[in-house]
Amino acid sequence: MNIFYKRRSLAILAFILLMIPGTGQIFGQSSQQEFKPSGKIWGYAFGDFFIKTGGDTATWASRAEYSSISKKVYSFSFRRIYLGYDYNISPTFSTTAILEGSDGVLTTKGERSVFIKALNIKWKNIYKGGDLVFGQMPTLAYASMFEKIWSYRSIEKTLLDQRGIRPSSDMGVALYGRFDSLGTYGYNVMISNGTGPKPEELTQTGKHKVYAGEVYGYLFDRKIILDLYADYQTGHNDQFVSNIRGFAAYQTDPVTIGMELFSGTQNKIKSDGTNVTPFGYSIFARGRIIKDKLNAFVRYDSYNPDNSYRDKDILASYNAGAMNKQYDEQFFTAGLDFMPHRNVHLMPNIWINSYKAKAETALLVKREADIVPRLTFYFIFR
């Protein structure tokens, strides 16, 4: 009888516990909460059918997309192909791997190829509000904020990326932090090699790392976005390179406008030991015309490769490595974004990059603006 009463008492106690709100849920979900490693493949690609209707060929004059292409050339092209894989090792650790290809990444036979764009591991919540990432990853110069708000990387890179100020991906370690639980205010810091997707040179030249950091905030119900970024990299003989960038945007459901302002210092780079100081700004707007079907965008950039340019900096003879610093450049693009599906975009657009020589000499020839009408295609799979 004692055994009978004990069993009955345990059954009654278990029934009571299950009736307490939330207790049954805890017991019932214990097996469901067990973590299972998982991963997913994703990717995207964008390219164009383009025609170069204006401009000339001068490979030394600009880092812009179509500078080296002859006038009247037209073609279909891939500007980016991404294949990524995200894998959750545990609730604390996750990894990302990305392969990138394009018409500019080729094998020795001239066929399209790929390279490792990203390969990193994330340690989530290494402390409250902080994630640690190690490996090959996007840099802080534009990928963490400006590129997301601009949201048309398929049309053009951001100012610093387009002009080659910093690589878009680098090998190093980064800390992504949040001051509050919602991520309204935060900070990011990163130390990296500064060599982009290429391995570090194991020499004295390769010891000069890039130290970068940024702080950001979302204000007024996240409609106003502010971001401040800076980096510093040492070099030989007291040379160093530093950059500072400010970004502000106003973001609503139908319209977003933004502006980026950038200034850099390349210390003691000139032959007489003086500085090169690049400077530029970018203004853009994008908006909705028909919800989930049609958007529009426009952007204007101004880029001065040397804001400290002097008469003595005028080239006396041709120097391919210095020619691009002899021209100021202006960039403009505008177009429509038609979405037959949320992951498929067809974007007719105009792409223009113009030039202004810093001095009037026979060596600095007048450059025609590169004018390229395009039909850009962009598709996502995930």
Side-chain angles (χ1 to χ4, degrees):
M1 295 293 293
N2 290 336
I3 295 175
F4 171 77
Y5 284 119
K6 286 180 180 179
R7 288 180 177 177
R8 188 176 66 173
S9 299
L10 289 173
I12 293 171
L13 178 61
F15 178 78
I16 293 172
L17 287 173
L18 288 172
M19 292 299 100
I20 297 175
T23 308
Q25 185 178 12
I26 292 172
F27 282 100
Q29 288 188 356
S30 60
S31 61
Q32 297 178 13
Q33 291 178 350
E34 183 180 351
F35 178 84
K36 294 182 179 180
S38 61
K40 63 177 181 179
I41 296 175
W42 58 273
Y44 66 80
F46 55 75
D48 322 274
F49 173 71
F50 71 87
I51 306 173
K52 187 171 181 179
T53 59
D56 48 41
T57 302
T59 58
W60 43 260
S62 175
R63 294 178 181 270
E65 184 80 23
Y66 302 96
S67 174
S68 61
I69 296 176
S70 300
K71 188 176 179 180
K72 297 183 180 180
V73 166
Y74 59 94
S75 181
F76 294 93
S77 68
F78 271 118
R79 282 185 289 116
R80 171 174 281 184
I81 303 167
Y82 257 25
L83 180 61
Y85 183 69
D86 296 332
Y87 185 74
N88 294 307
I89 300 173
S90 74
T92 303
F93 294 97
S94 64
T95 62
T96 294
I98 302 175
L99 298 178
E100 179 178 355
S102 72
D103 284 5
V105 181
L106 306 175
T107 66
T108 55
K109 295 181 179 181
E111 300 168 340
R112 291 192 190 95
S113 184
V114 295
F115 65 92
I116 298 173
K117 182 73 171 185
L119 183 60
N120 56 70
I121 183 169
K122 177 187 288 187
W123 187 343
K124 304 173 187 177
N125 288 310
I126 190 170
Y127 61 85
K128 186 177 180 180
D131 298 336
L132 186 72
V133 180
F134 174 80
Q136 189 78 24
M137 73 190 86
T139 58
L140 305 180
Y142 32 78
S144 60
M145 185 61 70
F146 183 96
E147 192 168 270
K148 293 178 182 177
I149 306 302
W150 160 235
S151 80
Y152 279 103
R153 173 61 184 86
S154 53
I155 294 297
E156 187 51 73
K157 303 174 183 178
T158 61
L159 172 63
L160 274 70
D161 193 4
Q162 185 188 40
R163 304 304 176 181
I165 304 300
R166 284 297 183 200
S168 60
S169 172
D170 207 1
M171 177 72 179
V173 61
L175 184 65
Y176 298 87
R178 301 169 296 280
F179 290 117
D180 63 317
S181 59
L182 298 177
T184 306
Y185 305 96
Y187 59 92
N188 303 317
V189 293
M190 182 174 180
I191 304 173
S192 61
N193 288 336
T195 56
K198 298 179 181 179
E200 177 63 277
E201 295 181 22
L202 302 181
T203 64
Q204 288 297 313
T205 303
K207 71 178 183 179
H208 302 289
K209 302 295 181 282
V210 178
Y211 302 87
E214 71 175 334
V215 291
Y216 63 86
Y218 295 87
L219 309 174
F220 301 102
D221 197 27
R222 303 181 77 88
K223 289 184 172 63
I224 301 294
I225 304 161
L226 301 176
D227 179 77
L228 181 64
Y229 163 89
D231 65 44
Y232 179 85
Q233 182 179 21
T234 60
H236 291 298
N237 302 322
D238 296 327
Q239 292 178 338
F240 66 82
V241 175
S242 64
N243 300 289
I244 186 168
R245 171 188 58 79
F247 171 68
Y250 175 72
Q251 184 171 245
T252 64
D253 184 33
V255 177
T256 295
I257 58 174
M259 180 175 183
E260 178 183 48
L261 188 66
F262 146 78
S263 180
T265 299
Q266 300 170 17
N267 192 57
K268 298 184 178 181
I269 297 298
K270 296 180 183 178
S271 58
D272 62 352
T274 54
N275 302 342
V276 170
T277 56
F279 174 82
Y281 63 86
S282 178
I283 303 172
F284 72 87
R286 57 178 175 82
R288 185 183 69 220
I289 299 175
I290 302 174
K291 186 176 181 179
D292 299 328
K293 288 296 181 183
L294 186 64
N295 296 335
F297 55 86
V298 61
R299 178 175 139 193
Y300 172 79
D301 295 357
S302 178
Y303 176 64
N304 183 341
D306 186 6
N307 207 31
S308 303
Y309 191 87
R310 309 156 301 176
D311 289 343
K312 65 172 65 177
D313 295 325
I314 299 173
L315 291 180
S317 59
Y318 177 78
N319 181 342
M323 291 298 287
N324 66 317
K325 290 184 172 62
Q326 306 292 313
Y327 291 83
D328 294 337
E329 299 184 44
Q330 297 77 41
F331 170 73
F332 174 82
T333 188
L336 298 173
D337 177 10
F338 170 62
M339 294 166 283
H341 183 275
R342 64 187 180 90
N343 288 334
V344 178
H345 301 252
L346 298 175
M347 299 176 283
N349 63 94
I350 185 74
W351 187 103
I352 301 173
N353 197 63
S354 60
Y355 308 85
K356 182 180 180 182
K358 287 182 169 291
E360 295 183 2
T361 69
L363 183 63
L364 302 182
V365 297
K366 183 178 180 180
R367 283 219 61 191
E368 295 183 23
D370 296 322
I371 303 173
V372 186
R374 306 185 301 184
L375 177 61
T376 298
F377 55 89
Y378 172 39
F379 56 90
I380 307 162
F381 56 91
R382 54 188 170 200

